[in-house]
Amino acid sequence: MAMDFNQTSQKIHNQILRAKEILIISHNQPDADAFGSMIAMGHWLDALEKKHHKLAYQPLPENLGWLTDYRPVFIDALDEKNKYDLIIVLDSSDLIRSKTNQIISLLETRPLIINIDHHHANDLFGDLNLVLPDASSTTEVIYRLLKSINFSLNRHIANALLAGMLGDTYNFTNANTKEQAMIMASNLLFFGASLNQASDSLLKIKSLDSMIVWGEILKRIKYNSNLGIASALILQEDIKPGVSETEISEGIANFLNSLDGVKALLLLHQQTNGLIKGSLRTNDDLIDVSKLAKILGGGGHKKASGFTLQGQLVQTEQGSWKII
Ligand SMILES: [Mn+2]
């Protein structure tokens, strides 16, 4: 490894100690790893008595409400009055997905940028880059960082780290689940994290309405047995009030990926704004779905990636679907 992990961790620690005001950012449409990373980082900065804000694109979803404590600022609240001298970007492979470029342009002086991530396509945009493509999640990278500088975890940090890792490993079931992730999980339990609460909050279907939505989507699944590819669609009319679309689409993508015989999964999700969000998943060691996502203008991990297309999903007379 070109990067010396302990040395970079030490440098990050030093820069944080030196900073006066810190902004924590993660990507748009945050998942459990993004939220867990921001929350864990916030607790660490609290322990160091460092003034900081977490920038939010979305409020914490209800199912993660048990994690303490998020207290974000929203992007419209930022202006040139903010004097951040350090930005920590989490779980984002570039500065665009986290909108960091946009935020920097609002500030008078360019702050130092720390990049902590596990995407193999991370373009190392930071002044300091702590990127571990073999880590299950960004919370695992943060866990290793805190361990390397001998920071003693508390229950709140342990819970946030566990939630992120369980989210990205889909409860220890996908290809991200390596020995290191299991060791980390058992250590987090030792520090007081609740495995029950974390896995319940990430996996259980929350309501009868959600279950009915799942039913509609599952009816339309197509499976190509020659290629081992399953595909599914989420239409706007599937979504009932009070049901979280992100939760549904993530849940469906992960669920279908664990189906026997499915080598790869394509999920197309019609959005209200004329866009179609695509998700790709695989558990096959030989398949890298991020290559296809990249061709379609998206990105992500080898095992889980996504892309966005302009268009509308419509059913043909033969019953199949096309994008117009
Ligand atoms: Mn992640």
Side-chain angles (χ1 to χ4, degrees), residues 75-282:
I75 191 161
D76 0 327
L78 291 187
D79 56 33
E80 60 283 351
K81 289 197 293 294
N82 292 104
K83 296 279 180 262
Y84 300 110
D85 51 356
L86 174 63
I87 293 184
I88 303 173
V89 185
L90 301 168
D91 200 40
S92 308
S93 47
D94 54 53
L95 288 175
I96 298 157
R97 202 175 163 214
S98 59
K99 300 189 191 169
T100 307
N101 275 338
Q102 203 180 318
I103 292 154
I104 294 171
S105 70
L106 289 170
L107 304 172
E108 231 165 73
T109 47
R110 184 193 175 280
L112 192 91
I113 295 175
I114 291 175
N115 167 17
I116 301 178
D117 187 30
H118 69 126
H119 291 82
H120 71 108
N122 188 293
D123 63 15
L124 306 179
F125 54 80
D127 299 301
L128 288 170
N129 299 292
L130 197 67
V131 178
L132 294 182
D134 67 321
S136 62
S137 52
T138 296
T139 61
E140 184 179 330
V141 183
I142 296 173
Y143 168 78
R144 294 201 216 170
L145 157 69
L146 295 177
K147 224 178 135 188
S148 143
I149 59 141
N150 288 319
F151 178 80
S152 173
L153 301 185
N154 61 40
R155 180 169 55 90
H156 301 299
I157 299 185
N159 272 325
L161 295 174
L162 184 63
M165 197 265 272
L166 283 183
D168 271 18
T169 62
Y170 193 50
N171 226 8
F172 301 121
T173 57
N174 67 17
N176 281 347
T177 318
K178 307 219 174 81
E179 186 192 352
Q180 281 306 319
M182 305 303 285
I183 295 171
M184 163 179 160
S186 73
N187 277 322
L188 295 178
L189 297 191
F190 175 79
F191 284 105
S194 165
L195 182 59
N196 259 342
Q197 193 150 26
S199 70
D200 272 13
S201 72
L202 291 164
L203 280 190
K204 277 199 180 149
I205 295 178
K206 296 301 160 325
S207 63
L208 186 60
D209 283 343
S210 297
M211 191 71 94
I212 291 166
V213 173
W214 271 66
E216 289 304 317
I217 297 163
L218 295 181
K219 272 189 221 160
R220 285 189 300 259
I221 293 178
K222 295 265 187 300
Y223 177 61
N224 181 322
S225 54
N226 293 326
L227 298 170
I229 295 176
S231 56
L233 306 172
I234 301 177
L235 306 175
Q236 267 309 307
E237 64 237 45
D238 295 331
I239 304 299
K240 307 271 179 300
V243 170
S244 154
E245 288 196 49
T246 328
E247 207 180 292
I248 296 274
S249 70
E250 292 228 335
I252 293 274
N254 289 324
F255 174 71
L256 292 178
N257 190 35
S258 57
L259 219 74
D260 197 25
V262 172
K263 283 188 186 159
L265 166 81
L266 166 68
L267 175 68
L268 295 173
H269 179 177
Q270 180 75 59
Q271 317 272 302
T272 41
N273 52 7
L275 296 176
I276 297 167
K277 208 183 130 205
S279 308
L280 293 159
R281 296 281 189 280
T282 183

Side-chain angles (χ1 to χ4, degrees), residues 26-89:
S26 188
H27 54 81
N28 197 6
Q29 295 187 312
D31 54 13
D33 190 27
F35 282 118
S37 295
M38 288 202 280
I39 291 170
M41 185 56 72
H43 281 299
W44 182 34
L45 298 184
D46 279 340
L48 298 173
E49 296 181 355
K50 281 290 157 184
K51 185 173 179 195
H52 66 275
H53 290 116
K54 302 182 198 86
L55 185 81
Y57 297 112
Q58 268 157 41
L60 194 65
E62 221 173 287
N63 66 314
L64 293 176
W66 61 283
L67 293 175
T68 60
D69 54 326
Y70 187 45
R71 288 180 288 120
V73 292
F74 289 88
I75 191 161
D76 0 327
L78 291 187
D79 56 33
E80 60 283 351
K81 289 197 293 294
N82 292 104
K83 296 279 180 262
Y84 300 110
D85 51 356
L86 174 63
I87 293 184
I88 303 173
V89 185

